[in-house]
Amino acid sequence: MDFIRNHLQGYGMSDTMVTYLSNIIMVLFIAAVSVIANLITKKIVLNVIARIVRKDRHKWGAIVLEKNVLHKLSHLVPAIIIYFSAWSFPTYQVLIERLAAVYMIVVTIMAVNALLNAFDEIYRSFEVSKIRPIKGYIQVMKIVLFIIGGILCVAGLIGQNPLIILSGLGALSAVLMLVFKDSILGLVAGVQLSSNDMVRVGDWIEMPNYNADGDVIDITLNTVKVMNFDKTITMIPSYALISDSFRNWRSMQMSGGRRIKRSIQIDTSSIGFCTEDMIAEFRKIHYLSDYLARRTNEIEEYNREHGINRRESPVNGRQLTNVGVFREYVTQYLRHHPGINQNMTLMVRQLAPGDNGLPLEIYAFSGDTAWAVYETVQADIFDHIFAVAPMFGLRVFQNPTGHDIVGMQDKRSGSQSNSIEAEIG
């Protein structure tokens, strides 16, 4: 600075003019040096680092570059040059140093923020991230980072110790608790969700209170994002998963079987004892041949031991019923079905009869938990059951439809016509 001033005074300029020109020249010189240093850092240093990183077999460095961590740090170079050049302007030295320091703090905060984003993406590349997500913790770290950065910026501008400002925030603790209420609740809920392994990314959860029924696609500090099966997005507060109840289908998906629990209604008026002809027809069914041979021998032996003659009355002794044989057939059909998990509970049971007949419930588990496969297996089973029930003399109960009523009217009209013709004849 003195060199420039002495050189300009050699031209016979006034002191005021010399001061102005020397300051302008110094500003231009510092600006040029800062621009050149910034260009060297970005065009040369960063390119060299990028080439080295791309040769590494790990993708971590590439993610750091993608998040522009080093690019943001490069902005520190001109700020450092300006900070240490402030002595050239004694009048404005303190102001320049403070502004440069605040700028460096802001740049550092942005770089650390980008580094946290990179760390989160790196962590997501591991399978453990689905079990132990850390996005909520990273968001807490960002909040703390911005709060500390804001305090440092204010302290740097006013030239006070940051601890003085920090101590003053104690009086605003109630306000801070109110402002960051959701974040605090979300942090506590996130810790509980993670430690208890209640929800993972990819889990299918169902929460009727929030109309959520789908897969968890993201877990943040304040919310859990759920993509419903109709492709809509539901945002659930993290603390709601702790305070309210929800259903997680993860264990079902991991078990290897999805429950089939559906019943058909048998018309009770179609239930009856099996005749000899019916049993002879049932013996032709592969799934029933062994069962009928065993059961008929057992029944005949019991009736013979107790001196029971079934010809006197069909009520005497033990007999087979068409619904009992049908229940055994459905059981054997399920045991031979390739879409049913044979290592899990399988049964065909009767429920309490009601106004709609006798419910015959199928309780089994499909061998594939995928929704489409599960529905296909379930539909195939009941397609077969509805089609085969009449072969056992059973009718599936159904409330009268318009077609049934029309048929009854046609029959009534036909019978009346026949009566009139008979009378005329």
Side-chain angles (χ1 to χ4, degrees):
M1 188 72 172
D2 293 336
F3 171 77
I4 298 174
R5 187 184 299 274
N6 295 332
H7 185 74
L8 291 175
Q9 287 177 348
Y11 291 97
M13 297 181 180
S14 62
D15 293 339
T16 303
M17 184 63 67
V18 168
T19 302
Y20 285 141
L21 289 177
S22 60
N23 288 337
I24 293 173
I25 293 172
M26 194 64 187
V27 169
L28 294 175
F29 174 75
I30 295 173
V33 172
S34 299
V35 171
I36 294 172
N38 192 25
L39 290 175
I40 292 174
T41 303
K42 290 181 179 180
K43 300 298 183 182
I44 300 177
V45 178
L46 292 184
N47 286 336
V48 172
I49 295 175
R51 291 178 182 177
I52 296 174
V53 167
R54 291 191 181 99
K55 294 180 181 179
D56 190 3
R57 62 186 182 88
H58 296 290
K59 301 297 183 182
W60 302 351
I63 295 175
V64 173
L65 289 176
E66 182 182 347
K67 297 299 180 180
N68 296 323
V69 176
L70 298 180
H71 180 80
K72 289 180 171 60
L73 285 175
S74 66
H75 292 289
L76 288 175
V77 176
I80 293 173
I81 294 174
I82 293 173
Y83 181 85
F84 287 102
S85 301
W87 60 269
S88 301
F89 309 95
T91 305
Y92 306 102
Q93 180 178 357
V94 175
L95 178 61
I96 294 173
E97 289 178 349
R98 290 181 180 179
L99 292 176
V102 169
Y103 179 78
M104 287 189 287
I105 292 172
V106 173
V107 170
T108 304
I109 291 173
M110 300 306 296
V112 174
N113 180 65
L115 183 62
L116 290 174
N117 291 335
F119 180 75
D120 180 43
E121 187 166 339
I122 292 171
Y123 183 76
R124 284 173 178 265
S125 64
F126 297 96
E127 288 296 325
V128 70
S129 64
K130 297 180 180 179
I131 303 175
R132 294 286 187 271
I134 62 170
K135 189 170 184 179
Y137 304 113
I138 289 179
Q139 289 178 327
V140 172
M141 294 173 63
K142 288 182 178 181
I143 291 174
V144 174
L145 174 67
F146 286 120
I147 291 175
I148 294 176
I151 293 173
L152 292 176
C153 289
V154 174
L157 288 174
I158 65 178
Q160 295 293 331
N161 191 331
L163 296 178
I164 298 176
I165 300 176
L166 190 61
S167 62
L169 293 178
L172 299 176
S173 58
V175 177
L176 293 176
M177 290 287 288
L178 181 62
V179 172
F180 295 104
K181 180 191 70 173
D182 291 338
S183 299
I184 295 172
L185 291 175
L187 175 61
V188 175
V191 172
Q192 295 186 31
L193 292 174
S194 178
S195 60
N196 296 325
D197 195 18
M198 298 172 65
V199 176
R200 303 177 186 173
V201 174
D203 284 355
W204 169 19
I205 68 172
E206 185 178 348
M207 200 168 187
N209 291 343
Y210 290 87
N211 294 322
D213 185 11
D215 297 329
V216 177
I217 59 176
D218 196 13
I219 300 176
T220 63
L221 176 61
N222 296 324
T223 59
V224 174
K225 185 184 293 185
V226 178
M227 176 176 284
N228 300 311
F229 293 126
D230 58 0
K231 299 306 178 183
T232 58
I233 300 295
T234 300
M235 308 297 291
I236 304 175
S238 299
Y239 57 82
L241 297 175
I242 302 298
S243 59
D244 298 337
S245 64
F246 69 97
R247 178 180 293 182
N248 192 329
W249 294 85
R250 184 204 313 157
S251 59
M252 179 276 294
Q253 294 172 327
M254 298 175 61
S255 67
R258 188 167 178 178
R259 188 180 69 172
I260 298 173
K261 186 175 182 292
R262 183 183 291 181
S263 60
I264 62 171
Q265 308 290 336
I266 302 296
D267 190 342
T268 54
S269 63
S270 65
I271 298 176
F273 293 118
C274 294
T275 63
E276 295 295 335
D277 294 337
M278 293 174 64
I279 294 176
E281 289 296 324
F282 293 159
R283 289 182 185 274
K284 299 177 183 180
I285 302 175
H286 295 298
Y287 293 156
L288 293 177
S289 57
D290 294 338
Y291 168 77
L292 289 175
R294 184 179 70 256
R295 288 288 291 167
T296 52
N297 292 334
E298 178 184 340
I299 290 173
E300 289 176 0
E301 183 178 353
Y302 175 86
N303 292 334
R304 185 170 55 252
E305 289 179 355
H306 292 79
I308 299 173
N309 186 2
R310 288 187 301 170
R311 295 180 179 178
E312 295 178 356
S313 173
V315 179
N316 295 333
R318 296 174 59 184
Q319 296 189 57
L320 292 172
T321 61
N322 57 350
V323 70
V325 176
F326 178 66
R327 180 162 49 87
E328 177 63 22
Y329 170 80
V330 175
T331 301
Q332 295 301 323
Y333 173 76
L334 294 175
R335 293 199 181 281
H336 291 83
H337 196 289
I340 296 297
N341 190 327
Q342 303 298 328
N343 297 321
M344 305 183 76
T345 304
L346 190 158
M347 62 178 173
V348 180
R349 60 175 183 167
Q350 291 184 11
L351 302 180
D355 297 338
N356 295 329
L358 175 67
L360 194 67
E361 184 182 75
I362 284 77
Y363 192 100
F365 290 82
S366 65
D368 196 322
T369 60
W371 189 11
V373 178
Y374 162 78
E375 292 292 349
T376 300
V377 171
Q378 183 172 239
D380 287 343
I381 291 172
F382 280 88
D383 288 348
H384 182 79
I385 291 175
F386 282 118
V388 80
M391 299 180 62
F392 291 84
L394 297 171
R395 291 189 301 273
V396 178
F397 181 86
Q398 176 177 283
N399 288 321
T401 64
H403 177 74
D404 298 328
I405 296 174
V406 171
M408 294 172 60
Q409 291 177 347
D410 291 341
K411 290 181 179 179
R412 183 178 299 175
S413 300
S415 61
Q416 291 178 352
S417 298
N418 293 334
S419 300
I420 294 173
E421 292 177 356
E423 292 178 358
I424 295 175

